[in-house]
Amino acid sequence: MARSNAPRLLRFLHGHADKVKKVEYGAFRRSETVTLELSLPRELSPFEVSMYIWRECGGESKCFPMTWHVFDGESDIFEVTLKMKDVADDFGLETGLFYFEFGFFSSEGRTRVLMSETDREPMLCRDDRPDGAFALTIYERKYPAPRSFYGGVIYHIFVDRFYRSGKSKPKDYAIMNDDWDNGIPQFAEYPGAYVANDMFFGGDLWGIIEKLDYIASLGTTVIYLSPVFEAHSNHRYDTGDYETIDQMVGGQEALDALIAAADEYGIKVIFDGVFNHTGSDSVYFNRYGRYGKSGAFRDVKSPYYKWFNFFEYPKKYECWWGIDILPRVNSADLTYIDYISGEDGIVDRYTADGIAGWRLDVVDELSDEFVDSLVERVHKTAKELGDDNPIVIGEVWEDASCKIAYGYRRRYFLGGQLDSVMNYPVRTALIEYLKHGNSAVIENSLKMIWEHYPREVIHALMNLLGTHDTARIITELAADSPDGYSNAELSVKRMTETQYERGVTLVKLAYLINATIPGIPSVYYGDEVGMEGYKDPFNRMPFPWGRENEELLECFREIGKVRRENSAYRDGDLVFCESKGNGLLAFGRRGRHVTYYTIVNRSEDVRNITFSCGIELIYRTDKSVRTEGAEVILPTDTGAIAAVPNEYDIV
């Protein structure tokens, strides 16, 4: 590879049998040894080149001298070999988040080199260090990586709105909406206003069982259920009793049947773990007396009293985001931790039932002690039951490798906590790219994840286009902005025919990208058939059975098949192809013999990509995409997957 005549960082990982494998990341196991190379133009006359590392919390940096390695005709290459264990030990740590930069002397004096993650270009600076230094994470996994999840597809189901079997008995207070095809969910008069959420459409676990053929047709390997514990709202994020599966989703009998039936399709089931708060109408809080005279609200001697923070007992208490139906739990309380994650606790109970893992709601609001205990219990109990590959996924909306919550750094990826997170940063960048055509946005986001996250996390990332917390992806990409509209107006507002057709085109591109980047694509029920809707609750409409957009559905099924048939999508390295933000996005996933390139054209012109050999086009979003020899020709708003032998590349 030709070297540019500018400061450049080249990073290499020493593999087995003294082989050297180039890598593009900065998260390493404590046991690894890494050689870093820095390219400096000869014209700078560099000497006394060093690497400087400091802890994420600041303090004095430590200097690691670099030695001259070779002159490549334009630049001098300096290198330093680091044992990650020694680096961590130098700072008195087992694992941790660090930052680094380089410094050297030249004829002009002391100069520092910062490899900026913001601009993706190196900068020479003689003053104070600017922001954006490269991150270096040193971790040591305590539990096996969730490899059985790699290469799969997650199907995210909001249970009340997926399919109604008619077998589950409604509760006495439930308002049943029988208009499955056209019914509109309850909504608040304005954002933040009270809404009872006691209207149900009747979807249940029995209904999911009836639709397993359909779910499996998407390539699904994991069903992620919205909360199914007993609760008194249709969304069930206000848990009433963790020990009971809600009768309106079919109860324990339906859960057992679903797990068994899904297993026959090779599909795992994971739960939504809502442990940061309970419902005020719960056995634990019991504000309304539904559960007798016990509960924290009614009895200061209740075993649950110290789980909650009261300001003025009993009516003023800490709530999640000030919503009084969601009293916040003190997740560091040892009795609460034991109840959820102790022996024979909630985690044990549902792991024994066959649950393969958890998605942790608002994990950044849970204490480290709680997360540590839950993850340990999930892995311990699963292993005892013969499963060494459970998964714990955290809801994190930012870069989870350096997340700060409530004033302190979280340690999700240092080895003893999360197996994965929801990949909101890439979702945000993907939408920006598809709406405005700036491919640099999505490229930089992918590089950030690739450089910051441990590999075991990356290949298990929950790559989402939509969830119960976001607008529908087709609405996000092609509908009018919701700004200026009331909730009443948004409840009935639909896309024009032209908007919808464009939305279908863009969703196909979105899923093509989402399903071929590292990680596991997550399909929010109905996105695959073109369901539209603005944010909660309009993103939670009943599934349009019999009115599916077949063009979109076929796209999701075909891409699911591509993932199943090509192992590169399990744990293949990410190959970057710079496009300079011109609307053309290209990246690859490297398998043992073949690299699968995803190519998307969001520019206004026909674009060509030429490879150094003949290629095989294994998927295209539109029949207008074609090949001519070693060239792929993409009209605007189209995408494709091209298979290329590893020894060849994009010209």
Side-chain angles (χ1 to χ4, degrees), residues 398-413:
E398 305 86 8
D399 178 351
S401 71
C402 55
K403 169 74 176 181
I404 294 177
Y406 296 93
Y408 71 100
R409 186 82 70 182
R410 305 310 298 259
R411 46 182 172 82
Y412 299 137
F413 296 160

Side-chain angles (χ1 to χ4, degrees), residues 346-366:
I346 298 302
V347 166
D348 275 3
R349 172 175 179 162
Y350 294 106
T351 304
D353 284 343
I355 292 302
W358 301 79
R359 174 264 190 188
L360 295 183
D361 189 59
V362 292
V363 68
D364 57 337
E365 300 192 29
L366 295 168

Side-chain angles (χ1 to χ4, degrees), residues 175-191:
I175 300 171
M176 300 305 298
N177 190 327
D178 295 325
D179 189 0
W180 186 273
D181 291 337
N182 299 295
I184 296 174
Q186 285 173 316
F187 57 87
E189 182 179 354
Y190 54 87

Side-chain angles (χ1 to χ4, degrees), residues 10-25 27-37 67 69 78-84:
L10 309 171
R11 281 184 278 178
F12 296 84
L13 170 67
H14 286 281
H16 299 294
D18 294 326
K19 293 181 180 179
V20 178
K21 177 184 178 184
K22 183 175 181 180
V23 294
E24 301 284 349
Y25 53 89
F28 299 98
R29 284 180 177 267
R30 178 177 165 84
S31 58
E32 290 183 284
T33 298
V34 180
T35 295
L36 297 98
E37 294 188 344
T67 58
H69 176 57
F78 295 83
E79 68 176 17
V80 61
T81 297
L82 302 174
K83 292 183 178 180
M84 295 295 102

Side-chain angles (χ1 to χ4, degrees), residues 53-62 91 93 97-99 129 409:
I53 302 177
W54 65 96
R55 292 180 59 177
E56 56 91 11
C57 55
E60 290 294 321
S61 63
K62 295 187 181 297
F91 289 92
L93 299 172
L97 173 64
F98 304 88
Y99 291 100
R129 174 181 55 81
R409 186 82 70 182

Side-chain angles (χ1 to χ4, degrees), residues 141-145 372 375-377 379-380 415-417 419:
R141 285 195 67 89
K142 189 175 180 181
Y143 311 106
D372 288 342
V375 172
E376 180 179 18
R377 179 57 63 170
H379 282 273
K380 179 178 184 296
Q417 288 196 344
D419 296 302

Side-chain angles (χ1 to χ4, degrees), residues 5-174:
N5 189 27
R8 196 157 59 98
L9 169 64
L10 309 171
R11 281 184 278 178
F12 296 84
L13 170 67
H14 286 281
H16 299 294
D18 294 326
K19 293 181 180 179
V20 178
K21 177 184 178 184
K22 183 175 181 180
V23 294
E24 301 284 349
Y25 53 89
F28 299 98
R29 284 180 177 267
R30 178 177 165 84
S31 58
E32 290 183 284
T33 298
V34 180
T35 295
L36 297 98
E37 294 188 344
L38 180 67
S39 172
L40 294 171
R42 172 62 63 91
E43 64 191 46
L44 293 175
S45 302
F47 62 97
E48 291 189 23
V49 180
S50 298
M51 176 181 182
Y52 295 87
I53 302 177
W54 65 96
R55 292 180 59 177
E56 56 91 11
C57 55
E60 290 294 321
S61 63
K62 295 187 181 297
C63 175
F64 296 86
M66 304 184 75
T67 58
W68 183 87
H69 176 57
V70 69
F71 176 64
D72 68 356
E74 292 181 340
S75 300
D76 289 295
I77 311 299
F78 295 83
E79 68 176 17
V80 61
T81 297
L82 302 174
K83 292 183 178 180
M84 295 295 102
K85 176 182 181 300
D86 292 345
V87 173
D89 287 349
D90 277 351
F91 289 92
L93 299 172
E94 290 288 320
T95 58
L97 173 64
F98 304 88
Y99 291 100
F100 66 88
E101 63 183 23
F102 301 91
F104 63 94
F105 283 94
S106 70
S107 57
E108 297 184 4
R110 179 68 173 166
T111 300
R112 304 199 89 173
V113 179
L114 176 71
M115 309 302 297
S116 170
E117 291 190 340
T118 303
D119 300 319
R120 299 290 160 195
E121 296 291 342
M123 296 183 293
L124 297 179
C125 55
R126 294 174 176 80
D127 300 313
D128 292 337
R129 174 181 55 81
D131 293 332
F134 267 112
L136 172 66
T137 298
I138 301 176
Y139 70 98
E140 192 63 57
R141 285 195 67 89
K142 189 175 180 181
Y143 311 106
R147 299 186 186 281
S148 64
F149 289 83
Y150 293 0
V153 173
I154 297 171
Y155 195 67
H156 175 190
I157 298 176
F158 191 84
V159 179
D160 183 60
R161 311 293 160 79
F162 182 64
Y163 189 69
R164 180 171 57 201
S165 74
K167 295 180 181 180
S168 302
K169 181 181 178 181
K171 296 175 181 177
D172 294 341
Y173 61 83

